[in-house]
Amino acid sequence: MSQQTDEVSAEIVETLFSARANAYVPYSAHPVASVMVTPDGQQFAGTNVEVAHYKGLCAEASAISAMITAGQRQLATVYVMGPGDHLCTPCGDCRQRIREFATPETQIKVLSGSGELMKTYTMETLLPDAFGPEQLPPR
């Protein structure tokens, strides 16, 4: 984990604000937004969607799903924004989802609810010694 002083583009922050405003969070009241950026610069936004049986969809999973639907398979940068001024890092499931499409160079950037960059992670710092596709036998 490293503290960051660089800024996030206004376009990314606006996309995160917009996605977070559309979150469906009637149970937790904890809206989260995420933007996945591919190496060629395409952006895919997602937000969390809760359902009554509590097995909802995280913002990161929503954004990754949009990315995969568009035919993309690699992440350059991941942005995550929660509702407050505390770190809202990806949950364990989403860390593994991100790992599936990340490279060692992928940056995971966590923003405050007001859009300020709080921390930047690499995949290794976010999920050390992670299990990934390369650990599976060839098909």
Side-chain angles (χ1 to χ4, degrees):
M1 266 182 319
S2 62
Q3 293 283 72
Q4 295 296 308
T5 56
D6 57 330
E7 293 187 24
V8 177
S9 77
E11 176 190 5
I12 291 287
V13 172
E14 280 304 312
T15 300
L16 287 162
F17 283 150
S18 178
R20 191 180 63 187
N22 289 325
Y24 180 74
V25 291
Y27 308 106
S28 73
H30 191 270
V32 178
S34 185
V35 172
M36 303 292 158
V37 182
T38 60
D40 66 0
Q42 290 186 59
Q43 298 176 15
F44 300 92
T47 192
N48 51 333
V49 179
E50 298 175 348
V51 293
H53 76 321
Y54 297 114
K55 292 184 180 179
L57 187 63
C58 295
E60 299 91 336
S62 175
I64 287 172
S65 180
M67 180 187 85
I68 297 301
T69 300
Q72 295 293 319
R73 298 290 187 268
Q74 192 173 48
L75 291 168
T77 310
V78 173
Y79 295 92
V80 181
M81 175 191 280
D85 289 330
H86 61 280
L87 281 173
C88 183
T89 60
C91 73
D93 282 350
C94 286
R95 290 174 191 220
Q96 189 65 46
R97 286 183 184 98
I98 293 166
R99 169 63 179 85
E100 186 73 16
F101 306 103
T103 69
E105 293 76 35
T106 299
Q107 301 256 309
I108 300 94
K109 297 179 179 278
V110 179
L111 284 68
S112 71
S114 59
E116 294 180 22
L117 181 61
M118 297 179 77
K119 289 201 178 186
T120 297
Y121 299 84
T122 63
M123 200 65 243
E124 182 61 28
T125 58
L126 190 65
L127 190 63
D129 303 317
F131 182 86
E134 63 280 354
Q135 276 87 32
L136 296 173
R139 296 190 292 160

